[in-house]
Amino acid sequence: MKTENNLKRQKTTSTDKTLFKNFPMVPRVVFGAGCFSQLGDILLPMRKSSEAPFIFLVDDFFENENFMAKLPLMFNDEVIFISAEEEPKTAQVDVLVARIRERYSELPSGVIGIGGGTLLDLAKAVSILLNNKGLAKDYQGWDLVNKPALYHVGIPTISGTGAEVSRTTVLLGPEKKLGINSDFTTFDQVLLDPDFTKTVAKEQWFYTGMDCYIHCVESLTGTYLNAFSQSYGEMAMELCKEVFLGDIPAKESRDKLMMASWHGGMSIAYSQVGVAHAMSYGLSYLLGVKHGIGNCLVFQHLEEFYPEGVSLFNKMMARHDVILPKGVCAELTQNDFDVMVNISLSLEPLWENALGRDWKTIMTPERLQALYEKI
Amino acid sequence: MKTENNLKRQKTTSTDKTLFKNFPMVPRVVFGAGCFSQLGDILLPMRKSSEAPFIFLVDDFFENENFMAKLPLMFNDEVIFISAEEEPKTAQVDVLVARIRERYSELPSGVIGIGGGTLLDLAKAVSILLNNKGLAKDYQGWDLVNKPALYHVGIPTISGTGAEVSRTTVLLGPEKKLGINSDFTTFDQVLLDPDFTKTVAKEQWFYTGMDCYIHCVESLTGTYLNAFSQSYGEMAMELCKEVFLGDIPAKESRDKLMMASWHGGMSIAYSQVGVAHAMSYGLSYLLGVKHGIGNCLVFQHLEEFYPEGVSLFNKMMARHDVILPKGVCAELTQNDFDVMVNISLSLEPLWENALGRDWKTIMTPERLQALYEKI
């Protein structure tokens, strides 16, 4: 199956416009257990005035006095705790932006996102919308943002999404789940402090880590791959294997999974994700399934596209006693399936990366629905 | 010997000021064979006015009509061809800066370095000095630069130095060979076009590639190492093994060595180089030995510090029929040795990384001279 599949895939890079993408990298990064203590020193020179606050968007998991005491708050800085129970939404971004605009006479000095992919993506989107007119949904797509975002800082508290390094912020909109893909989306500063991941629950740790593992598989087997993305993808993949199949101390495991997430995000710089992400987006849009577990729910059924990847994934599941829910799509109507299939098939670059230029002849709506029905 | 050496080394990171360094990354990068064709599009929006030229500093190896035709020159842009026969010097930077200041009524829009480590380091230093008072030698050291550099672009034409990604520009000054280590040193934009490396002579290819290999060994075995630097170092090391010991097609080899150089440079972000680089700096200062071959001349005699690294290095030498010159230090006077030893021992962070906090008790001037005498 793998060979047949490979035979059908034509290399797309030679004519692809993204071949020579001028990729924006995070221009500043701090790494190390405990490095969160540096945040105050980093923010100080970026304060525009005492009237221009920093807005901290923080996962409400951290809503306690102990955490608040560690935040380097000054002047009229504001902390907004946000639940990460649901995927981030365009309307949620619009509400946050309106609230911040109303409350302060000056534009904020910047936005700091502290949390998993949801909080990081919200921080990116809010910092863009604070400096650009209109609504978040207007910017879902590729390179639609006109003006730079406000200064924004990303501090991941769970490892795997790659949101800390990517040029996208993936949002559920009224019509689609799609990223604001823009050079202005990338964080100006990232703090990688693996100590934050000490308190992550095991299942969440696994699902989010698998987000990294799965986009490495998708990147490394994709038709867009070049030596740049390959080197990052292979490094992230090795780190994932050490973390999820090896036997290393807890601190080393936290350090390495945070680096895996970082490199995994870089790996899709020139490449793209593939079948699992394309399908997972449909699942999230219709059912609100969170991204990490959504990827896992899909990926387990993709052995025909990623035979080695799925085999290793099954080993990781077994090693950590993770059992995925079943019958997630059992009650869906034909209309529901149509919605998911349409959302998924609209993500053309993902399918082209996964299956080559002729992907439409390979992944028909019927075949895609049959895959969803297994979940 | 390795164990004894390891026992003596104390971890330095826990008290080291650089533990939580806020590392500047190159904010923009393009990768791919042929991506040099994008340079014009990249420079256009960065032009300040028709009176503010781009200054191209180019290795004189490329001084021909064919290459000139590919440069995206406009207005009063200037191309300055420079020989890379000698290591870059502080006085050379000062002359270039004075010449550019005299010739143009406005500050340039930016500086583009095209070549190996020498040209890249010159471009970095010239862009710093065009926007800062004084002489290049005044800024040799750590964090002495006050104002941002002019916009500067790095385009490596040979792989291995890591100069395209590092926050230093290493210059021979009147009193020392030392980098201008500064957050402003890092390039604003890098183009990684492996096609440039097609024309590199075999020995130069090997020596410069070994620069990458050797700083990976130094970084990965150093006491400063953390998971960030380790992941980049291991990635670069794997790529070096594929390139110098594997059997891969020429195009793939060029792509991978360019990525090895990139990741190898990132690996010393939180780490440092070690014994080979510390000794090689002394050799360059006294004898003008170029950096790549200088590292090789030293490294072959460092099996007591890097047993596995030197063993693999010897295999790479044999595989590519490289024979290093002998008796390089045979004619030196005691005064010559004193100069080299002093230059080398002044590079304290390199020694501390290599040998731990007690490095002075391990590497005495006598022991260091004995190592130089072998070369």
Side-chain angles (χ1 to χ4, degrees), chain A residues 1-10 355 358 362:
Chain A
M1 197 66 199
K2 192 190 173 194
T3 315
E4 184 201 358
N5 186 30
N6 283 347
L7 281 175
K8 281 184 184 167
R9 301 192 308 183
Q10 292 174 288
L355 305 174
D358 298 334
I362 302 169

Side-chain angles (χ1 to χ4, degrees), chain A residues 19-38 42 165 183-184 189-190 192 226-235 239 242 252 255-256 259 262-263 266 270, chain B residues 19-38 42 165 183-184 189-190 192 226-232 234-236 239 242 252 255-256 259 262-263 266 270:
Chain A
L19 175 57
F20 292 138
K21 206 155 46 176
N22 194 6
F23 187 76
M25 303 219 300
V26 172
R28 289 276 183 165
V29 58
V30 190
F31 174 88
C35 76
F36 184 65
S37 63
Q38 305 300 299
I42 289 170
V165 77
D183 288 347
F184 300 126
Q189 167 83 55
V190 166
L192 300 174
N226 67 8
F228 186 95
S229 281
Q230 186 184 0
S231 65
Y232 284 104
E234 287 177 351
M235 176 48 51
L239 291 166
E242 282 190 72
E252 187 178 338
D255 286 2
K256 289 194 163 172
M259 288 313 302
W262 179 257
H263 295 314
M266 284 301 296
Y270 273 90
Chain B
L19 175 58
F20 292 138
K21 207 155 45 178
N22 194 6
F23 188 76
M25 304 218 300
V26 173
R28 289 276 184 165
V29 58
V30 190
F31 174 88
C35 76
F36 184 66
S37 63
Q38 305 300 299
I42 289 169
V165 78
D183 288 347
F184 300 127
Q189 167 83 56
V190 166
L192 299 174
N226 66 9
F228 186 95
S229 281
Q230 186 184 0
S231 65
Y232 284 103
E234 287 178 350
M235 182 159 27
L239 292 165
E242 282 190 71
E252 187 179 338
D255 286 2
K256 290 194 162 172
M259 288 313 302
W262 178 256
H263 296 314
M266 283 301 296
Y270 273 89

Side-chain angles (χ1 to χ4, degrees), chain B residues 319-331:
Chain B
R319 170 76 177 265
H320 297 286
D321 299 317
V322 174
I323 294 166
L324 289 168
K326 288 196 170 144
V328 174
C329 294
E331 312 279 300

